[in-house]
Amino acid sequence: MDILEAVAAGRGVTIIPEDAELMTVEAAEALSVSRPSLIKLLNEGVIPPRKVGRRRLIRMEDVMAY
C-alpha cells in the first residue's frame, strides 16, 4: 500500500529516514513485535545493534531488511 492510499484510508503514516537509528522500543513497534522478542533477535545476532553506553540502537535499514 502506498502512502497516499494509507492516508486516504485514514491510517497513520510515519516517515523515518533510512539512516535513522531506533531505540529498542521504537524498533519493536516498527516490527510489531514485543520488546522482549526484539531483544532476543538482537542477542541472537539476527538484527545487529550498536551499543551507545548501556543503550542499543538499531539502524532503520536493518529493521526494514528483517
Side-chain angles (χ1 to χ4, degrees):
M1 174 179 285
D2 72 359
I3 294 171
L4 296 177
E5 288 176 353
V7 172
R11 293 192 172 136
V13 176
T14 303
I15 299 174
I16 302 173
E18 284 185 353
D19 62 347
E21 289 184 308
L22 307 175
M23 292 186 291
T24 55
V25 172
E26 297 167 323
E29 240 176 60
L31 292 173
S32 297
V33 299
S34 67
R35 186 175 173 279
S37 294
L38 175 70
I39 297 299
K40 184 178 177 187
L41 293 172
L42 299 178
N43 291 339
E44 292 173 350
V46 175
I47 300 174
R50 182 171 76 93
K51 286 283 262 186
V52 178
R54 295 182 62 212
R55 293 189 169 160
R56 288 185 263 201
L57 297 177
I58 303 101
R59 294 182 329 163
M60 184 62 180
E61 182 178 336
D62 294 329
V63 171
M64 297 306 292
Y66 177 77

